[in-house]
Amino acid sequence: MIVLFVLIGLAVLALFGALHRYLWRRLVRDVSAPGGWYRRVGTVLAVVLPLTSLGALLGGRELPLTGERWLAWPGYLWLAVLLYLTFALLVGEAVRPLLRRALERRAAARTRPAATEPVPVEVPAAVPAAASAPAAAPAPAEEPAAATRRQFVARTVAVASVAVAAGTVGYGTYGVLRGPRLKNVTVPLAKLPARADGYRIAVVSDIHLGPILGRAHTQRIVDTINGARPDLVAIVGDLVDGTVADLGPAAEPLAQLRARDGSFFVTGNHEYFSGAAPWVDFVRELGVHPLENARVELPGFDLAGVNDISGEDHHAAPDYGKALGDRDRTRAAVLLAHQPVMIHEAVEHGVDLQLSGHTHGGQLWPGNYIAELANPTVAGLDRYGDTQLYVTRGAGAWGPPVRVGAPSDITIVKLVSLRA
């Protein structure tokens, strides 16, 4: 198994290197002269940027948080730029021959004599044999012209590709750093009593506090939730990417959350990467109630929460029996479970609504297609038997602080009674 992982890692590194060589060829070599400053700077960046990205991915947690930030910002942002720069250049490969042919036709049209102009014909007088010998033919001008056209096309495609990638990543970064927007979803529940009709749950997931998103991001989320005045707040996992010692101050604004029935938290897979138990204790100190395979009875419905699947490797596996086994099934049940794949157990235990996150909605297009392979629902409201599943895209980002085609959100889930 170790050998397999090593081989996969080497294959990924080889692909990573080949991709950067392709970018260097198209963005540096094809558009610049040897020995120039642009060629030198471009070559240095073609080495430094991938090394920074690898450092952010593989070595970040070995450094203090301050040092990790120095790697995370350029390293992760470059990964996002790399993705869309590659897409743009691949489109450019199809455009190149079209541009070259257009330039060649334009050049030919300029050198062709006009059809309406008569071409003068001179009858040469007799000349001596020595003078009539043909002169040496001048060097053809077509080859330098073709080289100039090739470089013009290369520079045009390179500039357009960089502009598209930079614009896409810039807009996607702005979307993350400005904070998530509110989204409203209405969910009818057959068992919900009339007195609970219109109950509003603020669902937030995948905040991902870490070397890039910190206290200011948490404060934006808290202010947005409080402004919506929900009845209850549900934090459904992946709050952090780091330890309490490093990121505790970044999470402290959660203590300001205000909701009539309180705030609740379940673990996500990233909590177990960072040490879930200390985080559970810390959020409890902030006034957020952890639901570790537990349930609380609220007016009108039961609210339950289960640990993430990743807890199985940390002696904290999800336990649906403990959370849901002895409840009154005539009451509506809302389950907080980080990953959408946990819906199948929820169906078996008669849950009416499961609230999840984890997918980020794919985060970076076309990541949504990859997310669909591993999750029953990537984003939005869906139904599985008698159980409904709502998946939020999340309020933060993992890795690159960029979202493309999957804007971050905080969802206000409004429960509607069919008995009202």
Side-chain angles (χ1 to χ4, degrees):
M1 184 62 72
I2 296 177
V3 174
L4 178 61
F5 284 142
V6 170
L7 291 175
I8 292 174
L10 291 175
V12 171
L13 286 175
L15 178 62
F16 197 60
L19 186 58
H20 280 85
R21 178 173 175 77
Y22 167 70
L23 263 61
W24 173 83
R25 183 162 60 90
R26 285 309 194 197
L27 298 178
V28 179
R29 191 197 68 179
D30 291 355
V31 303
S32 62
W37 70 268
Y38 182 88
R39 177 75 64 92
R40 293 195 297 269
V41 171
T43 301
V44 169
L45 289 176
V47 175
V48 171
L49 287 173
L51 290 178
T52 304
S53 295
L54 289 175
L57 286 168
L58 303 177
R61 294 190 180 182
E62 303 301 323
L63 299 172
L65 186 63
T66 303
E68 192 177 349
R69 288 193 179 104
W70 284 98
L71 283 176
W73 273 103
Y76 285 132
L77 280 175
W78 172 244
L79 288 177
V81 172
L82 175 65
L83 175 65
Y84 294 107
L85 194 53
T86 301
F87 286 156
L89 286 172
L90 290 177
V91 172
E93 297 296 345
V95 174
R96 285 171 188 275
L98 301 178
L99 284 176
R100 282 198 296 267
R101 282 198 292 270
L103 291 173
E104 289 166 0
R105 286 195 296 268
R106 185 177 178 183
R110 285 179 175 178
T111 57
R112 188 183 305 119
T116 57
E117 295 179 2
V119 180
V121 179
E122 297 182 3
V123 179
V127 295
S132 62
E142 289 77 13
E143 190 59 36
T148 300
R149 286 194 293 271
R150 283 196 299 271
Q151 190 173 75
F152 176 80
V153 169
R155 289 178 175 177
T156 300
V157 172
V159 170
S161 299
V162 170
V164 167
T168 301
V169 172
Y171 184 76
T173 303
Y174 167 74
V176 171
L177 297 183
R178 78 180 176 192
R181 292 296 183 254
L182 278 178
K183 180 179 179 181
N184 293 281
V185 173
T186 299
V187 180
L189 296 181
K191 298 177 185 177
L192 192 72
R195 68 177 183 275
D197 182 64
Y199 194 94
R200 299 166 73 246
I201 303 174
V203 183
V204 59
S205 180
D206 302 281
I207 297 173
H208 285 290
L209 299 178
I212 293 178
L213 300 176
R215 187 185 182 98
H217 185 65
T218 310
Q219 190 65 59
R220 284 191 292 269
I221 291 170
V222 169
D223 292 343
T224 301
I225 292 174
N226 288 345
R229 302 175 65 87
D231 298 305
L232 181 147
V233 179
I235 305 172
V236 286
D238 280 7
L239 170 64
V240 292
D241 284 302
T243 64
V244 172
D246 284 336
L247 297 174
E252 284 176 352
L254 294 177
Q256 304 169 23
L257 285 170
R258 297 291 178 264
R260 185 185 68 191
D261 292 329
S263 304
F264 296 84
F265 168 76
V266 293
T267 55
N269 53 310
H270 280 248
E271 271 73 55
Y272 293 99
F273 301 156
S274 309
W279 276 111
V280 167
D281 293 338
F282 187 76
V283 298
R284 184 182 288 112
E285 292 173 6
L286 296 177
V288 179
H289 309 293
L291 289 176
E292 297 183 278
N293 300 323
R295 181 180 76 255
V296 294
E297 293 185 2
L298 298 172
F301 67 96
D302 293 340
L303 180 71
V306 289
N307 296 341
D308 185 67
I309 300 170
S310 300
E312 294 174 352
D313 299 327
H314 301 267
H315 309 290
D319 189 335
Y320 296 86
K322 184 178 178 182
L324 298 162
D326 59 349
R327 73 180 187 86
D328 179 1
R329 290 209 174 196
T330 64
R331 288 170 54 86
V334 176
L335 176 69
L336 310 184
H338 178 63
Q339 299 194 39
V341 294
M342 303 169 83
I343 185 63
H344 306 297
E345 291 282 353
V347 172
E348 291 182 9
H349 287 83
V351 169
D352 298 277
L353 172 64
Q354 175 176 313
L355 301 175
S356 298
H358 182 64
T359 68
H360 297 206
Q363 186 168 327
L364 295 170
W365 182 92
N368 54 307
Y369 298 112
I370 299 173
E372 286 176 359
L373 300 176
N375 297 278
T377 297
V378 174
L381 185 65
D382 217 335
R383 177 177 287 276
Y384 296 84
D386 293 329
T387 303
Q388 296 182 79
L389 168 66
Y390 179 75
V391 181
T392 172
R393 292 190 179 97
W398 182 84
V402 184
R403 282 177 173 264
V404 177
S408 57
D409 68 68
I410 296 167
T411 304
I412 303 299
V413 174
K414 181 180 178 181
L415 305 183
V416 175
S417 171
L418 300 182
R419 305 173 186 177

